Every structure is written in C-alpha cells, then in structure tokens.
C-alpha cells in the first residue's frame, strides 16, 4: 500500500472515530451512581477496610505457618505409628494366643 | 445538592468525599461527565454506554482515596475511563459476545470512494454516513482487546507511545511493539478492499 493511501485511510478513520463523540445520546446513569455510592459508604472506609483486612491476614501468617508445621508432623507420624503399633500388637497378640493355646 | 461544591477545586471536593461527605461526589461527576462520555462513546457500543458510564464513576469513587494528586485529576479520571472500556472489550471477547458480521459490498465501496476523494468537503459528508462507523467497528473487532486499545490511543487519537503507556499501565516497549503490529494488521485488512493504481 502506498504511503499516501495509508495516510488517507488514517485520516478517514480518525474522522469517523471522532464523529462518534458528536452523536446524540439519551442515557441516564447519574442517579444510579449516586444511589450506589451511598450504599458503599465513604471511599476512605472502603480503603481502610481493605487495609485492615490485609494487615489482619499478615498477622495470621506466623500462626498459620506453625499450624501447617504441626499438622505436617502429625500427618507424617500418623503414616508410620499405626503400622508400627499394628505390627507390635500382632506380634504380642500372637504370642499371647500361643500361650493361651497351651492352657486350652 | 448544595451549589457550594461547584465553587470548590477538585482537590477540595475529593477531600470532602474522602472525609465522608458522599454527596460532594456529585459535583465531581457533573464536572467530568462530558469528558468521560466522549471517551466512552468512541469506544463502546451505544447499548452499553449507560452501564459503562456507571462503572467508570463507581471506579473513580472507589479509588478516590488512592488519588495522591501527583498527576492531573482530569488525566486520572480519563485513564480510569479508558481502562474500564478496555476491560469491557476483554470481557466481551472472552464471552464471545461480538457479532461475527462480514464487510458488505457497500462498506467496501464506501471505503474505496472515501479514500479516493480529494476534497475535504466531500470527505466530511462521507464520514457522516453509517457505513464509515460500521466499517471502523468491523475493523476494530478484528483486533485483540490489547491491539484495539493501542490502535485507538495511538493511531486514531494520535497520543504518543509514552502517553498511551501511562494510561494503560504498560511498558513503553510493549506499547510500541503492539502499536506497530496492530497498525500493520489494520492496513492489511483494509488493503484488500482498496485497489491502487
């Protein structure tokens, strides 16, 4: 495409684009915005609420880490202790059974 | 609403709103509604204007406490308006709400004739026709939301790369690369309908 054509296309498209600004509109949105912001409350409060929420979350971080660590250890141990316990119980139980068997 | 607010500066109104005088926001809204409407009208289909205007001013209100006064309030509001339009298009593309119409013979003819016209008076008449707007809407629909925004700001509105980068919150390099690619894509799209001698 020639440079002159490119420039001409741009000029036309820009004119069409800016023509949209001049179009008449009949829209009513202002009262809805006012009603909505009255429900929201002052913007500073919204801001403070978010700040408080984030500071609260940061305060919970150490506690959460400790909890995760404890739960991790618990789950790690749960994996092995019952097997060990069961094995021990079975050994003890079988010896008891054999002793009982001698009396029966 | 009290007329007192209209005599106050933007900063004074903002302070009052942030301090809890919610009704003072109306003065800011009235002061900037024309500017925002111009920005939104160029970018958003007529049927969604009302919804987007509401969104823009709610966003302005919610972010008011973060306005530090480093930039002009006018630019700050404009930037929120552009970004709201950008979010609208991203959502529209994601949910496939865009009509997949093709360019008709009338639109192609309109483009050929308008580009070929030499006098500015005939151009003025031509751009008022609905074909022009439909053609522009069609061409922009072929772009991704990112390309569309960059194309509107730089190619159509004539903003510098730096200004567009500030509005969109992107890096200058990203804006320049996108602008170049989007422009080439647009020219390629329209070149098919223009027969050069």
């Amino acid at each position: 495409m020639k440079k002159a054509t490119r420039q001409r296309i741009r000029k036309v498209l820009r004119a069409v684009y800016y023509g949209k600004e001049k179009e008449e509109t009949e829209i009513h949105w202002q009262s809805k915005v006012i009603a909505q912001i009255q429900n929201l409350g002052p913007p500073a409060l919204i801001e403070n609420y978010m700040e408080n929420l984030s500071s609260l979350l940061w305060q919970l971080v150490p506690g959460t880490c400790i909890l995760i660590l404890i739960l991790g250890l618990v789950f790690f141990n749960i994996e092995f202790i019952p097997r060990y316990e069961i094995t021990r119980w079975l050994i003890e139980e079988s010896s008891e059974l054999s002793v009982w068997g001698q009396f029966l | 609403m009290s007329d007192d607010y209209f005599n106050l500066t933007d900063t004074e109104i903002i302070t009052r709103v942030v301090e809890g005088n919610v009704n003072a926001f109306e003065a800011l809204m009235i002061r900037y509604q024309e500017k925002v409407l111009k920005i939104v009208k160029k970018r958003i289909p007529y049927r969604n204007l009302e919804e987007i205007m509401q969104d823009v001013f709610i966003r302005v209100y919610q972010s008011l406490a973060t306005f530090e006064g480093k930039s002009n309030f006018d630019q700050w509001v404009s930037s929120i308006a552009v970004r709201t339009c950008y979010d609208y298009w991203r959502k529209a593309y994601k949910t496939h709400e865009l009509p997949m119409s093709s360019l008709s013979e009338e639109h192609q003819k309109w483009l050929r004739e308008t580009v070929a016209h030499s006098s500015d008076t005939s151009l003025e008449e031509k751009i008022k026709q609905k074909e022009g707007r439909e053609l522009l809407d069609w061409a922009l629909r072929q772009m991704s939301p990112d390309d569309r925004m960059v194309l509107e700001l730089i190619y159509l509105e004539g903003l510098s790369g730096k200004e567009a980068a500030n509005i969109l919150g992107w890096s200058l390099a990203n804006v320049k690369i996108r602008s170049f690619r989007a422009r080439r894509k647009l020219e390629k799209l329209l070149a098919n309908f223009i027969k050069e001698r």
Side-chain angles (χ1 to χ4, degrees):
Chain A
M1 195 189 284
K2 287 176 189 168
K3 195 183 172 186
T5 314
R6 283 208 305 265
Q7 286 174 341
R8 187 79 183 160
I9 288 176
R10 189 181 182 186
K11 192 181 175 184
V12 168
L13 293 180
R14 282 189 73 171
V16 172
Y17 183 71
Y18 277 100
K20 288 182 182 183
E21 274 186 6
K22 293 166 194 160
E23 281 176 16
E24 291 293 317
T25 48
E26 254 189 65
I27 52 167
H28 308 283
W29 48 271
Q30 293 91 337
S31 55
K32 287 177 188 168
V33 172
I34 296 296
Q36 227 170 317
I37 62 169
Q38 277 167 346
N39 283 335
L40 285 170
L45 286 180
I46 302 166
E47 193 64 23
N48 286 341
Y49 174 74
M50 292 308 289
E51 274 175 21
N52 291 342
L53 188 72
S54 67
S55 68
L56 183 73
L57 286 175
W58 279 112
Q59 282 171 10
L60 291 174
V61 166
T64 313
C65 288
I66 291 166
L67 193 68
I68 290 168
L69 201 70
I70 292 167
L71 286 173
L73 283 170
V74 167
F75 283 120
F76 184 77
N77 288 329
I78 280 172
E79 183 66 24
F80 294 101
I81 288 175
R83 284 184 190 172
Y84 169 75
E85 290 289 331
I86 289 165
T87 316
R88 200 180 61 170
W89 181 78
L90 281 172
I91 292 165
E92 285 172 2
E93 195 75 0
S94 61
S95 64
E96 274 177 31
L97 279 173
S98 59
V99 172
W100 272 108
Q102 285 177 354
F103 287 101
L104 289 171
Chain B
M1 196 191 121
S2 169
D3 289 342
D4 295 345
Y5 299 130
F6 291 99
N7 302 322
L8 300 176
T9 63
D10 289 350
T11 318
E12 286 168 337
I13 299 175
I14 292 164
T15 310
R16 290 196 184 194
V17 177
V18 172
E19 281 171 356
N21 193 345
V22 174
N23 292 332
F25 186 72
E26 198 178 347
L28 276 182
M29 212 168 71
I30 290 167
R31 203 170 279 180
Y32 289 99
Q33 63 182 357
E34 278 306 313
K35 175 146 190 136
V36 172
L37 188 61
K38 276 185 178 180
I39 292 170
V40 176
K41 257 184 188 178
K42 286 185 290 197
R43 292 175 166 82
I44 302 292
Y46 185 83
R47 65 179 185 280
N48 299 103
L49 275 184
E50 207 169 290
E51 174 200 337
I52 301 300
M53 285 300 286
Q54 274 184 59
D55 279 0
V56 172
F57 280 100
I58 294 295
R59 279 191 190 192
V60 168
Y61 179 78
Q62 286 178 321
S63 320
L64 215 53
T66 64
F67 177 70
E68 291 166 343
K70 284 177 188 168
S71 64
N72 192 339
F73 186 68
D74 180 76
Q75 286 172 356
W76 190 75
V77 172
S78 302
S79 171
I80 290 178
V82 172
R83 286 183 196 195
T84 309
C85 296
Y86 172 53
D87 289 343
Y88 164 84
W89 283 113
R90 279 205 305 183
K91 197 179 161 194
Y93 278 71
K94 228 176 186 175
T95 51
H96 307 287
E97 284 172 2
L98 302 170
M100 298 299 286
S101 61
S102 58
L103 206 59
S104 71
E105 185 52 46
E106 286 86 53
H107 295 107
Q108 295 176 31
K109 193 182 161 198
W110 180 91
L111 181 66
R112 276 194 298 273
E113 284 178 3
T114 314
V115 172
H117 270 288
S118 52
S119 75
D120 283 344
T121 45
S122 59
L123 178 68
E124 266 182 42
E125 285 305 309
K126 277 279 181 191
I127 60 160
K128 283 178 189 164
Q129 293 170 359
K130 68 173 173 56
E131 281 83 359
R133 187 180 171 160
E134 286 168 355
L135 179 121
L136 179 63
D137 289 345
W138 173 84
L140 291 173
R141 271 204 306 273
Q142 312 307 309
M143 306 283 152
S144 69
D146 291 5
D147 287 351
R148 184 188 185 110
M149 276 298 134
V150 168
L151 207 63
E152 284 179 341
L153 290 170
I154 296 177
Y155 182 77
L156 296 172
E157 293 187 17
L159 262 64
S160 69
K162 201 179 170 186
E163 286 169 326
N166 280 337
I167 289 174
L168 295 167
W170 297 353
S171 70
L172 182 59
N174 188 14
V175 167
K176 281 186 173 175
I177 292 165
R178 278 211 175 270
S179 167
F180 178 73
R181 283 185 191 157
R183 198 175 170 154
R184 278 190 70 178
K185 192 178 173 185
L186 180 78
E187 285 170 354
K188 207 176 167 185
L189 266 172
L190 299 178
N192 297 327
F193 310 117
I194 299 168
K195 291 164 192 165
E196 283 186 324
R197 285 177 198 171

